[in-house]
Amino acid sequence: SEVRKELLKDEAFAAALLAEAAEQGDDAVLVGVLRDLVESGMGFSELARRTSLSRPNLHRMLSPGGNPTLKSLTRILDCLGYSLRIGPKASPQG
């Protein structure tokens, strides 16, 4: 939605949304957030130029059902100003 794309211009909000999608393990949600980030920011043409990935390939990767490789995902995140970080799971509260 246009409201979500406007909210994604806030880096902290976008980072929190990306982190939540990654933690949920829902590929479709994560890919959707990435697509919205691209559309609300630099656009697919500029992302293609910066990543050296073709525009049609980027559209395919970030479409519903898209499945970017880890290498492509980290390249896209880097160009958008984000990084993929891994840490220990939170321990359950006893």
Side-chain angles (χ1 to χ4, degrees):
S1 78
E2 291 306 311
V3 172
R4 177 169 150 163
K5 288 178 186 176
E6 191 60 34
L7 289 171
L8 287 173
K9 291 181 181 180
D10 178 323
E11 285 184 347
F13 178 82
L17 199 57
L18 282 168
E20 180 64 27
E23 285 178 23
Q24 288 177 7
D26 189 333
D27 296 348
V29 172
L30 181 60
V31 166
V33 172
L34 282 171
R35 182 180 54 253
D36 287 350
L37 267 171
V38 172
E39 290 174 348
S40 68
M42 71 178 64
F44 279 91
S45 294
E46 180 62 16
L47 183 63
R49 188 185 70 73
R50 291 185 186 189
T51 60
S52 300
L53 298 168
S54 74
R55 191 170 182 265
N57 195 25
L58 285 167
H59 274 285
R60 204 169 19 262
M61 279 189 273
L62 299 181
S63 68
N67 189 19
T69 63
L70 181 59
K71 183 177 181 177
S72 295
L73 178 65
T74 55
R75 192 183 284 178
I76 291 166
L77 286 168
D78 182 59
C79 286
L80 294 172
Y82 300 94
S83 63
L84 183 62
R85 297 190 183 166
I86 298 173
K89 285 185 174 183
S91 59
Q93 300 298 321

